Amino acid sequence: MTGRADGGCGGFSEIKVQTINLQQVQNQTRHKTDGLSSSTLVLRRGQAFTVTINYDGRPFDPLKEKLIFRIVLGPVYVEVPVSVSGQPSLTQWTAVLERCVLNPTGPRAFSVSLSSPASASIGAYTLQMRIKTRLSVKTHFLCQFTLLCNPWCPADSVFLQSEDLRTEYVRSDIGLLFKGSPRNIVPNPWSFDQYEKGILDICMQLLQLSPQHQADIGKDLQNRNNPVYISRVISAMVNSNDDKGVLMGNWSNDYSGGVSPSQWSGSADILRKWAETQFNPVKYGQCWVFAAVMCTVMRALGIPTRVVTNFNSAHDTDGNMVIEEYYDEMGKKLSFSRDSIWNFHVWVESWMKRPDLGRGYDGWQVLDPTPQEKSTGMFRCGPAAVKAIYERKVDAQYDVPFVYAEVNADVRTMIVRNGMVLSTSIDKRRVGTLISTKHPGSMRMQDITSEYKTEEVQLLKPPVVGENISFIVIITNNEAAPKLLRKHVNAQNKEYNRNPTGTFWEAHDDVKMGPNETVTIQHEISFNDYMLTEAAEDSLVNLAVVIEDVKSQERVLASEEFNIRSPSLNIQIQNEFSVIINTPQVATVIFTNPFSVAVSGELTVSGSGLLEEKAQMRLTIQPRETMKKPVNFTPRMVGAKMLSASLVLENPPTVLHGFKTINVQAS
C-alpha cells in the first residue's frame, strides 16, 4: 500500500514506547556503511536491518496489537505490517518480529528486522511505526535513514562479484589521476573523501537540487531505483552549466576569483564549499577535477566507480567520428574546425546492469561530467557501455558515438590554400593511444585500452630478415567470471599491392582466463618458417588473431600488417671527409650474414659521377661471416654524390641495400 505521508494518528495505547535502539554500529557494520558520516542511519538496499523498541506497559501481544511500519520517501510512503514469521524479500519491503523480551518487572522490548527491496530508490527516508489495538492507534517517529545502492547484494543492479574490486571501487577513498602524455605519465594523488564529515549528506542534496527533482519530485524519486538514471543526473550536476551544479569549468589559465584546477587534491573541500555557499558553483574545475568529484559522489551512493584517463582524446563536435585538422602550406594550423585532440581527458566508469540495452552490455559504463557537448539538452555524457564502444554499437544509449570518437576517431589532416584542399592524410592510430586507471589494491597504473579497442597484436621489435618474428597477443576478460577461450593465430604473406595469399604459419591453443584478468601471450615465428615466402623484397605479413569464447561462441579479431626489413649493407669510405675530385678513393661494403645457412648472390655497387661502370661480383658468405669488399672509385664531379650497393641473394630470395652520401670537393 502506498500513499502520501501526512503525519500519524493520535490515540491511547497501553504500550508506551520509551526509547528506540537503531543498533547503528551493528547495522552499519553489516551494511558496510561504517565510516560514512551522516546525520542519519546509513543502510544499503536489499539487506535487512534491525531496530529494537523499548516500552512500558503490558507485554506486547502480536495477537492483540498490530504493528505497522511506514517507510516514507518524500511525498510517497509504503506501509509494512509486521509478521511474526517469514523471510526477507528482495522485491518488497518486509518487517519480521525477531524477538520479544517479556520481563514481568523490568524493561520490556521487541526487535523487528526490516528489509528493503534490492530495487528500492536511494535517498533520505523517514521511518515511522504505528501500534494499532482494538481501542487506539498511535504513530511514533523512529528515525531517519539514508538508503544506498548495494554492490554486495546479487539482486542489486550494481552488484560486483569480486570483494577486492568492491573494496577498491566503493570503499577506498584514495586514488591516482593520470595526466601528461603516454610516454611521460604523471600520476596525481587524489583523496575522494567520501568518509569526511557531512559529505554523504551533501551528495544526497546534490540529488535533491537536480532539475529532475525540482521538476517532478515523485517521478524523480521513483526513478532513483535505477543507477542508469542516477548516474545521468549526477553527470549533469557535477558541472554547473545547466543547473545549480558543483563546479564551474575554466580552461583560460586565468583563475582569478577562484582556485586553479591543479591546486585541488581532494573532493571534500570542493563539495563543502559548494554547500557552504548556498550551492553556488565552485571555481574552478577541469576534466580530472570533474571526474574525481563524480567518483566521490558515486562511491558514496554505493555505485562502484573508477577514474579513467584517455591519452590523445578526440573531441568530435559534429558527430561524424572523424577529427578534421587543417594546415596551410607553411605548416600553420588553421581554426576551420571545432574538432580537437586533447593530450589527455579524464572521465569515470561506473559498474551497473544495462537492461535497457539487452544482453551483453552490463558492466563498466563511461560517464563524463566535464561539460563538452549536450546530451538530450543538458551538458552530461553517458552512461555509455564500454562493451558498446568496443563493438561500435553507436545506436546504444547514451552518447556512444561521442565516446567512441574520443578513443577511436580517425584524424583527417588537410593542407589547404585559398580554401582548396591540396593534400589529405588519415591517421588511424593517433587517438586513444592509452586508456588507463589505477590498479586495484596498488598505487600503479592499469592499462585498460583493450577494453575499449579490439584485442591487441603487438610486435616486440621491427622484424628483420634472418631473425625470428616476436610478437605478443594481449587478451582481457572484462567479465567477473572465469572464461575458457580458444586462440587462433594466422600469418599470411602478401605483396604491398595485393590481398594476402597462403598461410605460412599458424598456432591454435586454449586459454583459461580468471575473472577480470588480462593475459599477455608471446609468440615467435622462426626464420625457417618464413624464409622462403617472406624474405623477398616488398613482402608483407598479415598477422591475425581470433579469440573465441568456447561457451558463448562469441569471437573477436585483431590484426596487424607489417613488412620484414632486410638487413642493410654498410658502406665505409677510407677518407670520408677528404674526397677530392679526380683522386682515387676506396669504399668498403660490409655485411654480416645473419642467417644460419650460407648465402650466395651478386653484389652490385654504382654511383653516378663516382664510378664509370657498375662494380659487380659474385659472393658466397658463410653463416655469421662478415664480408668486407673494397671497391675502387675516382670521383669525376664536385658536389653531393651517392654510392649505392645492392646484394641480390638467391636463397633466401631477397635484396639487401645500402648507400653512402659523399661530398666531393674541388682539388
Side-chain angles (χ1 to χ4, degrees):
M1 172 184 171
T2 61
R4 295 202 161 264
D6 47 17
C9 302
F12 173 78
S13 172
E14 295 178 57
I15 291 178
K16 295 184 177 65
V17 173
Q18 296 298 322
T19 58
I20 312 294
N21 182 357
L22 300 178
Q23 301 188 25
Q24 187 159 356
V25 172
Q26 300 95 314
N27 281 324
Q28 293 196 171
T29 300
R30 283 200 299 265
H31 284 242
K32 296 183 171 60
T33 58
D34 44 316
L36 289 171
S37 166
S38 173
S39 55
T40 73
L41 176 67
V42 184
L43 304 167
R44 297 195 188 277
R45 64 188 188 178
Q47 193 169 340
F49 64 100
T50 301
V51 295
T52 299
I53 290 89
N54 299 296
Y55 67 95
D56 287 336
R58 64 174 175 76
F60 170 67
D61 183 351
L63 298 175
K64 293 181 180 177
E65 282 90 24
K66 190 173 183 181
L67 283 182
I68 301 168
F69 282 91
R70 179 182 281 186
I71 294 128
V72 184
L73 180 63
V76 177
Y77 66 83
V78 58
E79 292 201 331
V80 187
V82 175
S83 62
V84 293
S85 62
Q87 293 297 319
S89 169
L90 290 170
T91 58
Q92 62 183 10
W93 284 92
T94 58
V96 179
L97 190 65
E98 238 180 23
R99 66 186 181 90
C100 288
V101 178
L102 303 176
N103 190 329
T105 55
R108 292 172 174 163
F110 58 84
S111 297
V112 177
S113 175
L114 291 124
S115 291
S116 60
S119 59
S121 293
I122 67 168
Y125 284 77
T126 299
L127 182 62
Q128 300 171 354
M129 180 184 69
R130 282 194 299 155
I131 302 176
K132 189 175 181 181
T133 68
R134 188 170 57 85
L135 299 174
S136 64
V137 176
K138 189 166 183 63
T139 299
H140 300 271
F141 168 82
L142 299 186
C143 70
Q144 290 182 322
F145 66 91
T146 299
L147 194 65
L148 307 177
C149 293
N150 192 350
W152 284 266
C153 173
D156 196 309
S157 52
V158 301
F159 172 66
L160 186 56
Q161 194 168 26
S162 163
E163 177 62 22
D164 288 345
L165 296 188
R166 290 191 295 250
T167 299
E168 177 71 33
Y169 299 135
V170 180
R171 305 205 78 182
S172 174
D173 60 350
I174 59 170
L176 289 177
L177 315 180
F178 297 102
K179 297 161 65 177
S181 63
R183 295 185 181 276
N184 188 19
I185 295 169
V186 180
N188 278 29
W190 190 272
S191 181
F192 293 117
D193 295 333
Q194 68 265 38
Y195 299 109
E196 292 296 303
K197 187 174 182 180
I199 293 302
L200 177 59
D201 292 342
I202 294 171
C203 293
M204 283 295 163
Q205 284 186 292
L206 184 146
L207 291 173
Q208 300 292 97
L209 289 166
S210 71
Q212 292 87 341
H213 188 80
Q214 300 298 315
D216 189 331
I217 295 174
K219 186 178 179 183
D220 173 64
L221 294 174
Q222 185 178 2
N223 286 333
R224 275 201 219 159
N225 68 340
N226 182 0
V228 174
Y229 173 83
I230 296 165
S231 63
R232 200 151 165 76
V233 169
I234 293 167
S235 174
M237 280 298 295
V238 170
N239 70 70
S240 62
N241 288 47
D242 315 287
D243 42 43
K244 293 178 72 68
V246 177
L247 275 161
M248 181 183 293
N250 186 339
W251 287 265
S252 70
N253 288 324
D254 177 7
Y255 305 118
S256 53
V259 175
S260 164
S262 297
Q263 290 182 20
W264 300 114
S265 60
S267 300
D269 288 345
I270 296 168
L271 289 167
R272 283 193 186 125
K273 189 165 189 175
W274 178 63
E276 289 165 1
T277 57
Q278 285 70 54
F279 308 106
N280 284 310
V282 177
K283 301 174 182 179
Y284 295 102
Q286 289 184 11
C287 64
W288 67 93
V289 185
F290 287 110
V293 170
M294 181 162 184
C295 185
T296 296
V297 177
M298 297 294 275
R299 287 188 185 182
L301 298 182
I303 301 173
T305 300
R306 63 189 185 184
V307 179
V308 170
T309 300
N310 177 36
F311 289 97
N312 292 340
S313 186
H315 182 177
D316 176 27
T317 58
D318 54 13
N320 65 352
M321 292 185 280
V322 175
I323 302 302
E324 288 151 343
E325 296 184 332
Y326 296 85
Y327 290 82
D328 69 11
E329 295 170 275
M330 300 296 108
K332 179 183 177 183
K333 193 170 185 180
L334 307 172
S335 55
F336 288 174
S337 172
R338 287 181 58 234
D339 291 348
S340 59
I341 298 176
W342 300 12
N343 279 21
F344 64 89
H345 182 50
V346 185
W347 57 66
V348 301
E349 289 176 0
S350 293
W351 183 274
M352 65 190 72
K353 288 187 170 66
R354 290 300 302 270
D356 56 317
L357 299 183
R359 289 189 60 189
Y361 298 98
D362 298 344
W364 290 117
Q365 314 288 320
V366 171
L367 290 147
D368 191 350
T370 300
Q372 295 182 87
E373 298 292 325
K374 288 190 174 183
S375 173
T376 325
M378 299 181 75
F379 280 99
R380 57 188 170 183
C381 181
V386 172
K387 189 72 180 295
I389 298 161
Y390 181 94
E391 295 176 355
R392 196 176 178 171
K393 190 176 173 64
V394 295
D395 58 338
Q397 296 190 96
Y398 294 86
D399 308 308
V400 169
F402 184 76
V403 183
Y404 179 89
E406 287 185 299
V407 300
N408 271 312
D410 293 346
V411 182
R412 181 182 295 142
T413 304
M414 285 159 276
I415 299 175
V416 297
R417 180 208 298 152
N418 299 326
M420 182 179 294
V421 177
L422 302 179
S423 69
T424 301
S425 61
I426 295 178
D427 187 341
K428 292 181 175 289
R429 291 182 175 267
R430 183 168 153 199
V431 166
T433 312
L434 171 66
I435 305 169
S436 62
T437 189
K438 176 184 171 296
H439 197 285
S442 75
M443 299 301 280
R444 57 192 174 93
M445 191 197 78
Q446 180 182 6
D447 182 348
I448 57 170
T449 313
S450 62
E451 296 184 21
Y452 286 80
K453 300 185 171 195
T454 51
E455 265 75 5
E456 290 185 80
V457 181
Q458 296 178 0
L459 294 171
L460 293 178
K461 61 179 180 176
V464 177
V465 170
E467 300 176 0
N468 294 346
I469 301 171
S470 297
F471 65 94
I472 56 173
V473 177
I474 302 170
I475 310 171
T476 301
N477 177 12
N478 296 323
E479 297 182 8
K483 276 188 175 184
L484 176 61
L485 305 176
R486 199 157 284 143
K487 174 170 60 69
H488 310 281
V489 191
N490 186 291
Q492 296 168 275
N493 63 297
K494 73 183 291 266
E495 294 181 27
Y496 75 94
N497 58 349
R498 291 187 176 89
N499 285 325
T501 53
T503 296
F504 66 84
W505 180 90
E506 58 188 313
H508 309 275
D509 51 78
D510 291 342
V511 182
K512 291 181 179 178
M513 302 280 292
N516 300 107
E517 183 184 13
T518 296
V519 297
T520 300
I521 302 166
Q522 183 167 341
H523 286 283
E524 283 208 347
I525 303 175
S526 72
F527 172 60
N528 288 337
D529 285 325
Y530 73 83
M531 179 175 70
L532 296 178
T533 55
E534 285 304 316
E537 189 177 23
D538 296 329
S539 282
L540 295 160
V541 174
N542 183 277
L543 186 62
V545 57
V546 173
I547 305 298
E548 173 191 348
D549 187 322
V550 173
K551 184 177 180 181
S552 69
Q553 293 295 294
E554 181 184 357
R555 292 171 173 83
V556 293
L557 178 140
S559 63
E560 178 84 9
E561 274 193 359
F562 55 89
N563 66 306
I564 302 177
R565 183 169 53 85
S566 298
S568 56
L569 303 175
N570 183 21
I571 301 176
Q572 295 181 356
I573 306 298
Q574 194 169 25
N575 300 300
E576 184 175 348
F577 299 107
S578 57
V579 177
I580 310 297
I581 188 170
N582 297 322
T583 303
Q585 297 284 343
V586 178
T588 304
V589 181
I590 303 170
F591 171 65
T592 300
N593 176 11
F595 307 128
S596 56
V597 294
V599 295
S600 298
E602 185 171 71
L603 176 66
T604 301
V605 183
S606 60
S608 177
L610 300 173
L611 285 166
E612 292 288 338
E613 293 182 350
K614 294 178 180 178
Q616 293 181 306
M617 58 198 82
R618 290 281 307 172
L619 300 171
T620 297
I621 311 166
Q622 297 302 316
R624 316 303 173 191
E625 179 190 357
T626 298
M627 167 205 83
K628 294 183 179 181
K629 289 295 176 185
V631 176
N632 297 310
F633 67 97
T634 302
R636 300 298 181 193
M637 295 178 68
V638 173
K641 299 296 168 188
M642 184 172 71
L643 202 62
S644 63
S646 63
L647 177 58
V648 181
L649 298 179
E650 294 153 1
N651 187 21
T654 190
V655 182
L656 315 182
H657 296 278
F659 68 92
K660 184 76 172 181
T661 55
I662 301 168
N663 186 28
V664 180
Q665 302 172 30
S667 58

